[in-house]
Amino acid sequence: MHRVIISGIGVEIPEASITNDELVESFNSWVDAENDKRVARGEEPLQRSDSGFIEHASGIKTRHVIEREGILDPKRMSPRIPARPDDALSIQAEFGVASARKALAMAGRRPGDIDMVICSSSHLQRPYPAIAVEMQQALGTKGAGFDMGLGCSSAAAALHVAVNLVRSGAQKKMLVTTPEIITGHLNFRDRQTHFIFGDASVSMVVEAAEDARPGRLEVLDTRLWTQMSSNIRTNLGYLTRSAQDDPYMIDLEGNLIRQVGNKVFKDVTVAGHRFIVDFLAEHGLTPEGIRRFWLHQANARMNAMILKLAFGHEVGHDRAPMVLDRLGNTAGAGAIVALSENHADMKAGDYGLLCAFGAGYSIGGALLRMT
Ligand code: COA
């Protein structure tokens, strides 16, 4: 069995960003126009959105997005991402490659050193050919690639797979990539969810620790937990058209991301803190013994509550850094962005816990130690 390290982490954040005020202005002008029609039809008016609510309820102030103008156009309210020819690099592979190159540079590895790519994302652009295989070709990595996904736990789930493949010796050097273009699937006309998500791509190089050089993130263990829930759900899939009267005109109503936010908040807060306490206990550790927590970046209040339940008291952002205020919920990418930005100051022997949670329900964790 090999010791395993994360030797490189790469993050790619799109340049364009949208503030709460900008998003709410677009949403409310669509609501106002819609309500004129509804009132004329004698229907209940839709409720307006509110920046103050968004920041208070979620902690999100801005989000970065692949394409901003289409989202903010009240006549469209969806990013405009033109189709590309089959022989051009697809946008999700391109986004993955951008963070992968940074991860490889940090690891000091060439693409030819990598013997497997896993692309794990809450949303995949298509079922096949796998995005990972397209990335394999674009980067020039060896061996094989495949796609997988587990909602917002996608990166943590892929890390679980990669770490165990490397630990067993089945693979030597793996690239785990999570390019999240989640705005493409978001219903920007839904008051409950229109403010939640942002786009980001992250990649990690996972390899056997050939030496005990200081300043490396060793992965001591990984864990996954799932339990069926439809409280975060999308029904858009390859059978969507078969369920419709006209299978050549897809009706998106009810088929984009839906979330019962307050239910998810409660359920995942309870399951998340239990997961953390139990996983650490298996290693003879308690939350107090962990220098840093890189938690899923969905909701600032939720993370604070998970930590309060785990610790028995409140802990600050130095212990559990937050990136969601400027990036929004970037699905599987969020916890890895927090990890990337907040590990360089850790001392040899310091423990850190990566913990992502979301749709499924799913929770994925990795116990790390700085060498
Ligand atoms: N603008 C203004 N008011 C809004 C609103 C908006 N955009 N969206 C909802 N509201 C209102 C609701 O109508 C409700 O009003 P009422 O009390 O008059 O009925 C009130 O705000 C509270 O709604 P609720 O849905 O209970 O809000 P919340 O405090 O739970 O916050 C989330 C909503 C989505 C921010 C929060 O539930 C959350 O982040 N949940 C966890 C999400 C998560 O972790 N997902 C997993 C990973 S993807």
Side-chain angles (χ1 to χ4, degrees):
M1 294 296 226
H2 299 273
R3 288 172 66 185
V4 182
I5 55 167
I6 299 172
S7 56
I9 309 172
V11 173
E12 178 73 8
I13 305 292
E15 237 175 73
S17 68
I18 297 177
T19 64
N20 288 343
D21 283 347
E22 289 174 314
L23 196 66
V24 164
E25 190 189 330
S26 152
F27 180 88
N28 287 345
S29 64
W30 173 76
V31 164
D32 292 347
E34 202 59 21
N35 281 345
D36 287 344
K37 292 182 234 159
R38 284 179 173 245
V39 169
R41 292 197 298 260
E43 292 170 8
E44 274 288 299
L46 297 170
Q47 290 176 290
R48 306 180 101 224
S49 187
D50 179 72
S51 291
F53 167 83
I54 294 171
E55 187 170 341
H56 169 77
S58 68
I60 297 166
K61 296 178 184 165
T62 59
R63 68 283 297 138
H64 284 249
V65 296
I66 286 275
E67 200 278 325
R68 168 191 138 90
E69 304 314 322
I71 293 172
L72 290 179
D73 177 357
K75 293 198 168 63
R76 181 174 174 88
M77 299 176 85
S78 173
R80 190 177 288 280
I81 304 174
R84 297 179 179 185
D86 286 356
D87 59 357
L89 189 63
S90 63
I91 188 158
Q92 191 168 28
E94 182 180 87
F95 204 27
V97 163
S99 64
R101 289 201 197 284
K102 291 179 183 174
L104 288 165
M106 180 178 163
R109 298 292 178 201
R110 290 186 306 269
D113 297 329
I114 299 294
D115 56 12
M116 180 169 278
V117 179
I118 303 179
C119 177
S120 184
S121 185
S122 65
H123 293 79
L124 288 159
Q125 185 171 350
R126 56 168 189 265
Y128 49 85
I131 302 295
V133 176
E134 194 180 4
M135 287 182 61
Q136 176 189 11
Q137 184 192 46
L139 287 164
T141 62
K142 291 188 301 200
F146 66 91
D147 292 350
M148 56 175 274
L150 189 65
C152 291
S153 307
S154 289
L159 190 62
H160 181 61
V161 174
V163 164
N164 284 296
L165 285 172
V166 172
R167 194 182 297 295
S168 70
Q171 304 294 148
K172 289 196 167 45
K173 292 181 177 54
M174 296 188 56
L175 181 73
V176 170
T177 185
T178 300
E180 296 281 15
I181 309 179
I182 196 161
T183 54
H185 191 48
L186 190 53
N187 184 354
F188 284 97
R189 295 176 177 174
D190 175 33
R191 178 171 173 261
Q192 289 269 101
T193 52
H194 78 115
F195 57 87
I196 291 178
F197 294 103
D199 301 325
S201 170
V202 296
S203 292
M204 292 177 276
V205 176
V206 177
E207 58 179 295
E210 285 153 7
D211 51 47
R213 264 198 285 151
R216 299 178 148 228
L217 283 167
E218 181 172 3
V219 187
L220 299 179
D221 198 7
T222 54
R223 206 50 101 250
L224 268 189
W225 171 93
T226 56
Q227 180 186 284
M228 179 60 194
S229 166
S230 290
N231 288 327
I232 320 172
R233 186 172 175 118
T234 169
N235 281 321
L236 191 66
Y238 81 100
L239 290 179
T240 306
R241 61 193 289 260
S242 307
Q244 302 193 348
D245 288 341
D246 182 350
Y248 290 88
M249 280 286 290
I250 292 184
D251 180 1
L252 291 179
E253 193 57 43
N255 286 324
L256 298 173
I257 299 173
R258 284 186 277 131
Q259 173 174 260
V260 189
N262 47 17
K263 192 86 177 76
V264 176
F265 189 112
K266 287 187 198 118
D267 294 347
V268 174
T269 298
V270 172
H273 96 271
R274 272 263 60 91
F275 177 96
I276 288 171
V277 170
D278 291 349
F279 185 28
L280 292 178
E282 280 181 48
H283 292 271
L285 294 165
T286 63
E288 293 290 355
I290 306 302
R291 172 69 187 89
R292 194 149 283 151
F293 288 80
W294 305 284
L295 299 187
H296 177 46
Q297 301 286 312
N299 185 302
R301 287 186 302 127
M302 188 166 143
N303 284 7
M305 203 165 289
I306 286 175
L307 292 164
K308 192 173 174 188
L309 286 168
F311 276 83
H313 58 83
E314 284 179 10
V315 295
H317 290 320
D318 176 62
R319 202 63 171 274
M322 191 169 79
V323 301
L324 67 89
D325 53 338
R326 63 177 208 276
L327 298 181
N329 178 348
T330 52
I336 312 300
V337 178
L339 167 64
S340 169
E341 293 182 2
N342 299 281
H343 70 274
D345 62 332
M346 287 169 64
K347 298 188 179 58
D350 279 352
Y351 289 101
L353 188 79
L354 179 84
C355 186
F357 33 83
Y361 295 130
S362 60
I363 307 180
L367 178 62
L368 310 184
R369 187 173 52 195
M370 193 62 98
T371 57

